[in-house]
């Protein structure tokens, strides 16, 4: 009888370890899906001059905030103007945006003439609003 008990606990331990591995992989995939949806929305919103025949559509209101945020996340440069790529920064910013945290971020235009301080929560609301506008436009134009 003791041999059966030992095998049982070994098998149980192996099964639980396998469940932990699968759960970990599922968590990674869920994280990837969340960030993919966020990146897709940002890509759809940014740089859409054809919207409403207004060439400045992406340069006004909430869309301008999102354009500056895109530059802050993906287009950072060093003091000498060289591209600076930090994937940890990208992931951190996207996670904060997805969570809509109250943490403030300083966004600056490329010509350094405009500086805006906004929270990730405000940026998240801007994405939701702009994406909804595009969806409404898409729905009404397809009818």
């Amino acid at each position: 009888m003791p041999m059966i008990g030992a095998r049982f606990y070994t098998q149980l331990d192996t099964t639980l370890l396998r469940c932990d591995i699968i759960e970990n992989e599922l968590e990674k995939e869920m994280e990837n899906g969340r960030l993919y949806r966020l990146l897709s929305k940002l890509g759809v919103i940014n740089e859409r001059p054809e919207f409403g025949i207004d060439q400045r559509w992406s340069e006004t209101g909430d869309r301008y905030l999102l354009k500056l945020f895109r530059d802050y996340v993906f287009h950072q440069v060093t003091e000498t103007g060289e591209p600076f790529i930090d994937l940890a920064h990208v992931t951190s910013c996207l996670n904060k945006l997805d969570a809509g945290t109250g943490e403030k971020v300083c966004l600056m235009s490329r010509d350094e003439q405009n500086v805006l301080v906004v929270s990730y929560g405000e940026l998240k609301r801007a994405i939701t609003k702009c994406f909804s506008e595009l969806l409404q436009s898409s729905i009404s134009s397809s009818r």
Side-chain angles (χ1 to χ4, degrees):
M1 191 68 144
M3 292 297 287
I4 293 174
R7 285 184 180 169
F8 173 77
Y9 285 116
T10 302
Q11 186 64 34
L12 181 63
D13 187 47
T14 303
T15 302
L16 291 174
L17 180 63
R18 181 71 180 145
C19 285
D20 288 343
I21 291 170
I22 291 172
E23 188 175 294
N24 212 5
E25 290 300 313
L26 177 62
E27 184 178 319
K28 288 179 195 174
E29 291 303 315
M30 286 174 53
E31 180 80 9
N32 290 340
R34 219 173 32 84
L35 295 181
Y36 173 76
R37 282 190 299 280
L38 190 58
L39 284 172
S40 296
K41 286 180 180 181
L42 277 172
V44 167
I45 293 167
N46 282 317
E47 308 296 333
R48 292 195 70 97
E50 77 277 1
F51 184 80
I53 311 173
D54 181 3
Q55 295 295 319
R56 297 176 307 132
W57 185 80
S58 66
E59 298 286 333
T60 58
D62 290 334
R63 295 167 298 277
Y64 187 63
L65 283 177
L66 297 176
K67 180 179 178 180
L68 293 179
F69 179 72
R70 181 215 43 212
D71 289 347
Y72 171 74
V73 173
F74 298 106
H75 299 162
Q76 294 220 346
V77 294
T78 63
E79 294 82 22
T80 61
E82 299 293 321
F84 180 73
I85 300 169
D86 181 6
L87 295 179
H89 168 73
V90 171
T91 304
S92 173
C93 289
L94 291 176
N95 280 325
K96 290 175 186 177
L97 177 63
D98 188 50
T101 66
E103 183 180 330
K104 302 277 185 182
V105 61
C106 181
L107 305 175
M108 186 182 315
S109 64
R110 290 184 183 183
D111 62 4
E112 298 180 356
Q113 297 298 308
N114 299 315
V115 178
L116 302 170
V117 178
V118 296
S119 71
Y120 284 99
E122 292 168 326
L123 288 167
K124 184 175 183 175
R125 283 189 292 280
I127 285 178
T128 302
K129 179 183 171 206
C130 293
F131 192 71
S132 295
E133 288 175 5
L134 284 172
L135 282 177
Q136 283 301 107
S137 175
S138 173
I139 291 169
S140 64
S141 68
S142 66
R143 289 183 183 174

